[in-house]
Amino acid sequence: MENEKHLLEVHNLTKWFPVRNSIFSRQQNYVKAVNGVSFSVKYGETLGVVGESGCGKSTMGRTLLRLLEATDGAVYFKGENILTLSKKKMKEKRKDMQIIFQDPYASLDPRMTVGDIISEPLDIQTSIGRKERTEKVLAAIEMSGLNPKFVNRYPHEFSGGQRQRIGIARAIISRPQLIVCDEPVSALDVSIQAQGINLLKDLQHSLNMTYIFISHDLSVIKHISDRVLVMYLGNLVEISPKQDLFTNSAHPYTRALLSAIPSIERRGTKDKIVLQGDLPSPLNLPSGCCFHTRCFMAKEICSQKKPELQQVGKEHLCACHFC
Amino acid sequence: MLLYIAKRLCQTVFVLVGITFATFCLINIVPGDPVQVMLEKRADPEMIQQVRHELGTDKPLPEQYINFVEGAVKFDLGKSYFSKEPVMSMLLRGFLVTAKLAAISFLFAVTIGISCGMLAAIKRGKPTDSFLMMIAILGMSAPSFWIAIILQIIFGLKLNLLPLSGLDQPLCYILPSIALGTRYAASIARITRTSMLDVIKQDYIRTARAKGVKESMVFIKHALKNALIPIVTLLGTQLGNMLAGSMLIEKVFSISGIGKLAVDSMTNRDLPLVQGTVLYIAVIFVVINLIVDLSYALIDPKIRYGKGA
Amino acid sequence: MIRDNLLEVNHLKTYFYTDEGVVKSVDDVSFSVQPSRTLGIVGESGCGKSITLLSIMRLIENPPGKIVAGEILYNGENLLKKNKEEMRQIRGNNIAMIFQEPMTSLNPVYTIGEQILESISIHRPELDKGEARERALAMLKMVNIPMPEKRFNEYPHQLSGGMRQRVMIAIALSCEPDLLLCDEPTTALDVTVQAQILELINDLKKKARAAIIMVTHDLGVISEVADDVMVMYAGKVVEFATVDQIFAQPMHPYTCGLINCIPSLDKEVERLSTIPGMVPSFNEMPKGCAFAPRCSRATQRCKENMPELIDIGERKVRCFLYEGKDTE
Amino acid sequence: MKFFSFFYRKNKYIEDVAEQGIEYTSYYQDSFRRLKKNNAAMICLSVLALMVLIVIFAPWISPQDPNAQSLKDALRGPSAQYFLGTDEYGRDILSRIIYGTRISLSVGIISQVLATAIGVTMGVLAGYYGGYIDSLISRVMEIFAAFPELIFAMGIMYVLGPGVSNIFIALALLSWVSTARLIRGQVLQLKQKEYVEACIASGGASFQIIVRHLVPNCISTIIIMVTLGIPGAIMSEAALSFLGLGVQPPTASWGSMISAAQSYISLIPLYSVLPGLAIIIVVISFNIFGDGLRDALDPKLKNQ
């Protein structure tokens, strides 16, 4: 069966945040953060999710793990729709799915020791003995490249890079199969960023994990992903194997994004695509294709009809009328 | 902004209803029959019955409440049991005296408080700052009625400069206003200082300096307006507390304002008057806070242009 | 090629006196900027690059910060000898600065127009109200803000991050400064907006003929806008060269490491090369070269002595590896 | 150093692998170190400690029975027998001030402990659960806050009748709202933190989140609120007693002493000055110590 290859299948995932516009008006408004996104993730691969701030990529990552309740859609994790699971069953499932956060400061409780932080998933999920717990914590610390001597210290004594390693140790301690990495290296300096990326790659190999790697940085995405999903204003605009996307991008937004990255290697190239204008508000999505307000290829049809995802290459889908 | 105002007005109406309810409960949960408590042992059953009928306490509670709210809205809260005078006219008379006193103290507190707070913020870390803040914490820690007595002893008795009591000439206002205003001046000075220090750390202050704005203008034009919101919030609460707090000062200086009315009514257990004073002081307090909240819109464009709530 | 220096910074030292000790944020930094050139300063957070800019503007908060030594020559005059009033006349007029956070760098309680006008009215008091307004609107047009008349009366919170940064640039350029200091102007922005702002800065560079110092941690940004590049590490200059030289042939091991650890868009590598360890904190600064503990080519000598900045042609590098090559 | 050890849970389970001889500093240890550097706060702390001793040993250190009347000695100035003079009933002023400390401190501390218990519960409930619970609690808080402090306290005292234990209740009802507001705001912020999300991602239930993350992170705010709430309660008690609605005679309270002394300011000014000085010393000590505690524990709270 086709499903066997996929760890995760997402159908029409939608997340709208209600905003109360006025106490008098009955009309409910929504911030449309994620709009009907469908994709699947294979065992052991890394799916990169890229987009600018406000495109809904972090919301999507959190909705996948039910940290936010989805408005609509289904998420099949190993063939089971986790969005409809009961609280109790969901709690068991959480052993298999974890998250690594962007902010190395807000993601660690300042009043807990490093050891307590890392063992939190174990403490909640299981009732193992002290000795076993100690062993697991130490193993996780060592795998994350931290000195085990640090267990009783508090987070404020660590640098951003070390804190991020603590976050990684917490995520891997319950040996999950899926980790959502939400901009895990964005807050770090370049030289530390490379260490973090290498660590994540190593762990993926040794623990056989699947990543959904969210980032705004295309070069990081390119380095770590097998396939890449591009989002714009809560919509999936293009999904493709990495090589194809970077050499043969189909959607005009992807092309603009690629060309906007200041890069040492592409220094001096003059034919840059610079998008005009700003991101429209997710409260009032543009009609038709949500990108048409800034698109350099937009024609009349784009403001009228929403483009469907079309196959443009092997496993390469794109939502544009002209691809 | 309309949305913001509408929201605040709704909230205020709700709170006003809550206040009438709370005040009503206040009277009706007093242990024992309020009329009996009021008349103490002097009354025979017939008299009690008559007073009950006069006050309307023989009716069922919900009806009493509706009558009470109706009276409150019509500014008719019955007559004081002891002086037989309508409660409203007594309140009005008292309020005018208190309002004058509170207004003068408020002015005193705001001028002294904001200027000292600004000065301390500008001279942060220097001796001026420590000195002003020492004075402020001292001012916050001294009870106003005690300050009033000390002022009486010094300026009234020892130096014989200012009148000891009453409010019959303008000079009389000096001591009560200082006594009433000191504590509030001190807390305004403290909040002004912290709010200013918070604001001058912001990026836009650095931008202003980078533009070449004069240091004095950086403080007055760029920092103060941003620092105002917490200050104005405090001012609103303080004005209300000042109206209530004036009863301590009124007692010391034998002034017959609304505070004296409140204290007397409570010691005499004069039910209609207690209801009236508590209710209307609370209403004034709520209205002041409403005005303060609406004034945010003038200070903060985020509220003026719809975003804030 | 000899050019007159618009700005010359010599042996600048800016220290911060904290409870834990003295932080030498900028430690003996020297460089110069010529008219109409763009100098890029790169380094990781805490290397002193932003403090260098604030020192030039004399906007270091004192206490805890203090410029303890050095000179900053602007058109030959030492800015550190100026009094407060003279310095105020220079800020915003001859030297202007834009900051990293467009969201918080504009005063939330004044309109865009008021904030541009303020700068004009301080430094061009001879202009009457109408002229000043004309000029402010022209500035908004110049930075490509659509509907400048409407935006003029709007408040910062009504604008997007990219728009606000444009307004910051308009304020900075409103009095036609000779020198524009940019402190990570695009770091807080999205890539597509960053591309817009960089395009704008490159455009203005041609039009306004101002010299620019661009501070950033992003080598990609540097490669797009800078003429010369200065690399800083732990408060010291480690390398100085033209932009072509630095990317074609980086010399200092730190510069090499920095360039190599960026994931490439065009090449495929299995593992990123890294710089091991992390920047030493100020209270455990090594005795010798600050980079020695992380450097793969460090020798015993590097650990004990701090190398000098040596000239190699037009380039400068602070590393023992290049000793004796300065005659090249 | 172990001053705050009650408040944090240090898991010692990995002690054998941990670095030996290195002191791990927790947040509270750091704060206490900062507090110890603050001389003014430490002086005030010792003044307060002295006050507590006075409260405990009042019967032994006061020279006279505070309620023993001796009308022939009424309204005397300081003498060898009556160290600070006598009041209108010839009672020893010094002894009455010493006994007044008991009232003031107990009112301050007990009412604030009660207020904190109510305030923290309400604040956590409103902040964490949101929705209708939040709306309900917030509306109740608005109504409580709609009365000026003194009028509110007077109203409650009117209902309950005078007496020390009723003052506890009145002042607790007066001050729980500010605690609840602050805690609610803080919980709303903490709820957004990623470590709370991490706890949910590991399957943590509401109770676990509150106990593991929210409450421990609110403790410093709670300590600060109690410390800075006590002087306010002491002032309110003095005001109520001054107005005759608080502690009733013959019990000695600083507020009622000032009230009585007011009639004799020309005769014996010391009588009204001294109880006021006592109030100032206690209140200022709590204020300065509380400020120091706030700076040490949570500098961000300064604006609240």
PDB file of all heavy atoms in Angstrom, chain D residues 179-195:
ATOM      1  N   THR D 179      -3.501  41.548  43.442  1.00  0.00           N
ATOM      2  CA  THR D 179      -2.720  40.322  43.269  1.00  0.00           C
ATOM      3  C   THR D 179      -3.278  39.504  42.112  1.00  0.00           C
ATOM      4  O   THR D 179      -2.541  39.049  41.237  1.00  0.00           O
ATOM      5  CB  THR D 179      -2.767  39.465  44.546  1.00  0.00           C
ATOM      6  OG1 THR D 179      -2.436  40.291  45.648  1.00  0.00           O
ATOM      7  CG2 THR D 179      -1.803  38.316  44.469  1.00  0.00           C
ATOM      8  N   ALA D 180      -4.595  39.338  42.106  1.00  0.00           N
ATOM      9  CA  ALA D 180      -5.215  38.515  41.064  1.00  0.00           C
ATOM     10  C   ALA D 180      -4.930  39.097  39.683  1.00  0.00           C
ATOM     11  O   ALA D 180      -4.602  38.370  38.754  1.00  0.00           O
ATOM     12  CB  ALA D 180      -6.722  38.431  41.307  1.00  0.00           C
ATOM     13  N   ARG D 181      -5.021  40.415  39.566  1.00  0.00           N
ATOM     14  CA  ARG D 181      -4.754  41.054  38.272  1.00  0.00           C
ATOM     15  C   ARG D 181      -3.353  40.782  37.791  1.00  0.00           C
ATOM     16  O   ARG D 181      -3.122  40.410  36.643  1.00  0.00           O
ATOM     17  CB  ARG D 181      -4.922  42.565  38.409  1.00  0.00           C
ATOM     18  CG  ARG D 181      -6.331  42.998  38.252  1.00  0.00           C
ATOM     19  CD  ARG D 181      -6.345  44.464  37.880  1.00  0.00           C
ATOM     20  NE  ARG D 181      -7.719  44.894  37.741  1.00  0.00           N
ATOM     21  CZ  ARG D 181      -8.160  46.078  38.105  1.00  0.00           C
ATOM     22  NH1 ARG D 181      -7.321  46.960  38.610  1.00  0.00           N
ATOM     23  NH2 ARG D 181      -9.407  46.397  37.933  1.00  0.00           N
ATOM     24  N   LEU D 182      -2.398  40.971  38.715  1.00  0.00           N
ATOM     25  CA  LEU D 182      -0.997  40.799  38.337  1.00  0.00           C
ATOM     26  C   LEU D 182      -0.720  39.349  37.950  1.00  0.00           C
ATOM     27  O   LEU D 182      -0.084  39.076  36.932  1.00  0.00           O
ATOM     28  CB  LEU D 182      -0.130  41.215  39.523  1.00  0.00           C
ATOM     29  CG  LEU D 182       1.264  41.672  39.176  1.00  0.00           C
ATOM     30  CD1 LEU D 182       1.215  42.848  38.221  1.00  0.00           C
ATOM     31  CD2 LEU D 182       2.006  42.064  40.433  1.00  0.00           C
ATOM     32  N   ILE D 183      -1.222  38.418  38.767  1.00  0.00           N
ATOM     33  CA  ILE D 183      -0.986  37.004  38.495  1.00  0.00           C
ATOM     34  C   ILE D 183      -1.663  36.605  37.186  1.00  0.00           C
ATOM     35  O   ILE D 183      -1.086  35.895  36.363  1.00  0.00           O
ATOM     36  CB  ILE D 183      -1.516  36.130  39.654  1.00  0.00           C
ATOM     37  CG1 ILE D 183      -0.735  36.424  40.937  1.00  0.00           C
ATOM     38  CG2 ILE D 183      -1.439  34.665  39.312  1.00  0.00           C
ATOM     39  CD1 ILE D 183       0.686  35.939  40.927  1.00  0.00           C
ATOM     40  N   ARG D 184      -2.864  37.110  36.975  1.00  0.00           N
ATOM     41  CA  ARG D 184      -3.563  36.785  35.745  1.00  0.00           C
ATOM     42  C   ARG D 184      -2.731  37.231  34.548  1.00  0.00           C
ATOM     43  O   ARG D 184      -2.520  36.474  33.598  1.00  0.00           O
ATOM     44  CB  ARG D 184      -4.928  37.481  35.714  1.00  0.00           C
ATOM     45  CG  ARG D 184      -5.667  37.304  34.406  1.00  0.00           C
ATOM     46  CD  ARG D 184      -7.018  38.003  34.420  1.00  0.00           C
ATOM     47  NE  ARG D 184      -7.613  37.990  33.103  1.00  0.00           N
ATOM     48  CZ  ARG D 184      -7.399  38.925  32.191  1.00  0.00           C
ATOM     49  NH1 ARG D 184      -6.622  39.945  32.481  1.00  0.00           N
ATOM     50  NH2 ARG D 184      -7.961  38.858  31.006  1.00  0.00           N
ATOM     51  N   GLY D 185      -2.240  38.478  34.608  1.00  0.00           N
ATOM     52  CA  GLY D 185      -1.425  38.994  33.507  1.00  0.00           C
ATOM     53  C   GLY D 185      -0.188  38.147  33.304  1.00  0.00           C
ATOM     54  O   GLY D 185       0.180  37.812  32.175  1.00  0.00           O
ATOM     55  N   GLN D 186       0.435  37.760  34.416  1.00  0.00           N
ATOM     56  CA  GLN D 186       1.661  36.991  34.289  1.00  0.00           C
ATOM     57  C   GLN D 186       1.382  35.597  33.724  1.00  0.00           C
ATOM     58  O   GLN D 186       2.131  35.114  32.883  1.00  0.00           O
ATOM     59  CB  GLN D 186       2.323  36.885  35.659  1.00  0.00           C
ATOM     60  CG  GLN D 186       3.776  36.550  35.523  1.00  0.00           C
ATOM     61  CD  GLN D 186       4.547  36.882  36.769  1.00  0.00           C
ATOM     62  OE1 GLN D 186       3.985  36.968  37.862  1.00  0.00           O
ATOM     63  NE2 GLN D 186       5.826  37.064  36.623  1.00  0.00           N
ATOM     64  N   VAL D 187       0.296  34.984  34.173  1.00  0.00           N
ATOM     65  CA  VAL D 187      -0.046  33.657  33.658  1.00  0.00           C
ATOM     66  C   VAL D 187      -0.338  33.738  32.159  1.00  0.00           C
ATOM     67  O   VAL D 187       0.092  32.893  31.389  1.00  0.00           O
ATOM     68  CB  VAL D 187      -1.239  33.056  34.431  1.00  0.00           C
ATOM     69  CG1 VAL D 187      -1.801  31.840  33.722  1.00  0.00           C
ATOM     70  CG2 VAL D 187      -0.801  32.681  35.829  1.00  0.00           C
ATOM     71  N   LEU D 188      -1.035  34.814  31.757  1.00  0.00           N
ATOM     72  CA  LEU D 188      -1.307  34.977  30.329  1.00  0.00           C
ATOM     73  C   LEU D 188      -0.007  35.023  29.537  1.00  0.00           C
ATOM     74  O   LEU D 188       0.092  34.456  28.449  1.00  0.00           O
ATOM     75  CB  LEU D 188      -2.091  36.272  30.087  1.00  0.00           C
ATOM     76  CG  LEU D 188      -3.587  36.218  30.361  1.00  0.00           C
ATOM     77  CD1 LEU D 188      -4.213  37.571  30.116  1.00  0.00           C
ATOM     78  CD2 LEU D 188      -4.240  35.167  29.473  1.00  0.00           C
ATOM     79  N   GLN D 189       1.004  35.704  30.105  1.00  0.00           N
ATOM     80  CA  GLN D 189       2.288  35.767  29.411  1.00  0.00           C
ATOM     81  C   GLN D 189       3.002  34.423  29.433  1.00  0.00           C
ATOM     82  O   GLN D 189       3.509  33.959  28.417  1.00  0.00           O
ATOM     83  CB  GLN D 189       3.186  36.791  30.100  1.00  0.00           C
ATOM     84  CG  GLN D 189       3.058  38.167  29.514  1.00  0.00           C
ATOM     85  CD  GLN D 189       3.947  39.150  30.246  1.00  0.00           C
ATOM     86  OE1 GLN D 189       4.847  38.751  31.002  1.00  0.00           O
ATOM     87  NE2 GLN D 189       3.709  40.410  30.028  1.00  0.00           N
ATOM     88  N   LEU D 190       3.026  33.802  30.619  1.00  0.00           N
ATOM     89  CA  LEU D 190       3.755  32.542  30.762  1.00  0.00           C
ATOM     90  C   LEU D 190       3.159  31.460  29.871  1.00  0.00           C
ATOM     91  O   LEU D 190       3.862  30.622  29.340  1.00  0.00           O
ATOM     92  CB  LEU D 190       3.720  32.077  32.223  1.00  0.00           C
ATOM     93  CG  LEU D 190       4.533  32.900  33.208  1.00  0.00           C
ATOM     94  CD1 LEU D 190       4.267  32.428  34.629  1.00  0.00           C
ATOM     95  CD2 LEU D 190       6.020  32.792  32.910  1.00  0.00           C
ATOM     96  N   LYS D 191       1.834  31.519  29.729  1.00  0.00           N
ATOM     97  CA  LYS D 191       1.131  30.515  28.932  1.00  0.00           C
ATOM     98  C   LYS D 191       1.650  30.492  27.497  1.00  0.00           C
ATOM     99  O   LYS D 191       1.616  29.476  26.829  1.00  0.00           O
ATOM    100  CB  LYS D 191      -0.363  30.859  28.937  1.00  0.00           C
ATOM    101  CG  LYS D 191      -1.269  29.687  28.990  1.00  0.00           C
ATOM    102  CD  LYS D 191      -2.694  30.116  29.303  1.00  0.00           C
ATOM    103  CE  LYS D 191      -3.291  30.905  28.170  1.00  0.00           C
ATOM    104  NZ  LYS D 191      -4.759  31.050  28.303  1.00  0.00           N
ATOM    105  N   GLN D 192       2.112  31.659  27.029  1.00  0.00           N
ATOM    106  CA  GLN D 192       2.615  31.748  25.659  1.00  0.00           C
ATOM    107  C   GLN D 192       4.026  31.202  25.517  1.00  0.00           C
ATOM    108  O   GLN D 192       4.520  31.042  24.413  1.00  0.00           O
ATOM    109  CB  GLN D 192       2.647  33.218  25.205  1.00  0.00           C
ATOM    110  CG  GLN D 192       1.327  33.932  25.311  1.00  0.00           C
ATOM    111  CD  GLN D 192       0.322  33.389  24.341  1.00  0.00           C
ATOM    112  OE1 GLN D 192       0.675  33.047  23.216  1.00  0.00           O
ATOM    113  NE2 GLN D 192      -0.919  33.283  24.764  1.00  0.00           N
ATOM    114  N   LYS D 193       4.697  30.984  26.659  1.00  0.00           N
ATOM    115  CA  LYS D 193       6.103  30.600  26.583  1.00  0.00           C
ATOM    116  C   LYS D 193       6.247  29.236  25.932  1.00  0.00           C
ATOM    117  O   LYS D 193       5.413  28.350  26.103  1.00  0.00           O
ATOM    118  CB  LYS D 193       6.722  30.553  27.979  1.00  0.00           C
ATOM    119  CG  LYS D 193       6.805  31.904  28.628  1.00  0.00           C
ATOM    120  CD  LYS D 193       8.084  32.604  28.270  1.00  0.00           C
ATOM    121  CE  LYS D 193       8.191  33.867  29.072  1.00  0.00           C
ATOM    122  NZ  LYS D 193       9.057  34.852  28.622  1.00  0.00           N
ATOM    123  N   GLU D 194       7.375  29.082  25.257  1.00  0.00           N
ATOM    124  CA  GLU D 194       7.555  27.836  24.536  1.00  0.00           C
ATOM    125  C   GLU D 194       7.781  26.654  25.464  1.00  0.00           C
ATOM    126  O   GLU D 194       7.492  25.527  25.109  1.00  0.00           O
ATOM    127  CB  GLU D 194       8.690  27.993  23.524  1.00  0.00           C
ATOM    128  CG  GLU D 194       8.233  28.887  22.373  1.00  0.00           C
ATOM    129  CD  GLU D 194       9.318  29.258  21.409  1.00  0.00           C
ATOM    130  OE1 GLU D 194      10.492  29.161  21.794  1.00  0.00           O
ATOM    131  OE2 GLU D 194       9.006  29.653  20.279  1.00  0.00           O
ATOM    132  N   TYR D 195       8.278  26.904  26.675  1.00  0.00           N
ATOM    133  CA  TYR D 195       8.464  25.748  27.553  1.00  0.00           C
ATOM    134  C   TYR D 195       7.120  25.174  28.013  1.00  0.00           C
ATOM    135  O   TYR D 195       7.028  23.989  28.316  1.00  0.00           O
ATOM    136  CB  TYR D 195       9.406  26.030  28.730  1.00  0.00           C
ATOM    137  CG  TYR D 195       9.088  27.199  29.620  1.00  0.00           C
ATOM    138  CD1 TYR D 195       8.102  27.126  30.585  1.00  0.00           C
ATOM    139  CD2 TYR D 195       9.824  28.371  29.518  1.00  0.00           C
ATOM    140  CE1 TYR D 195       7.846  28.191  31.422  1.00  0.00           C
ATOM    141  CE2 TYR D 195       9.578  29.455  30.348  1.00  0.00           C
ATOM    142  CZ  TYR D 195       8.585  29.352  31.305  1.00  0.00           C
ATOM    143  OH  TYR D 195       8.345  30.409  32.120  1.00  0.00           O
TER     144      TYR D 195
END
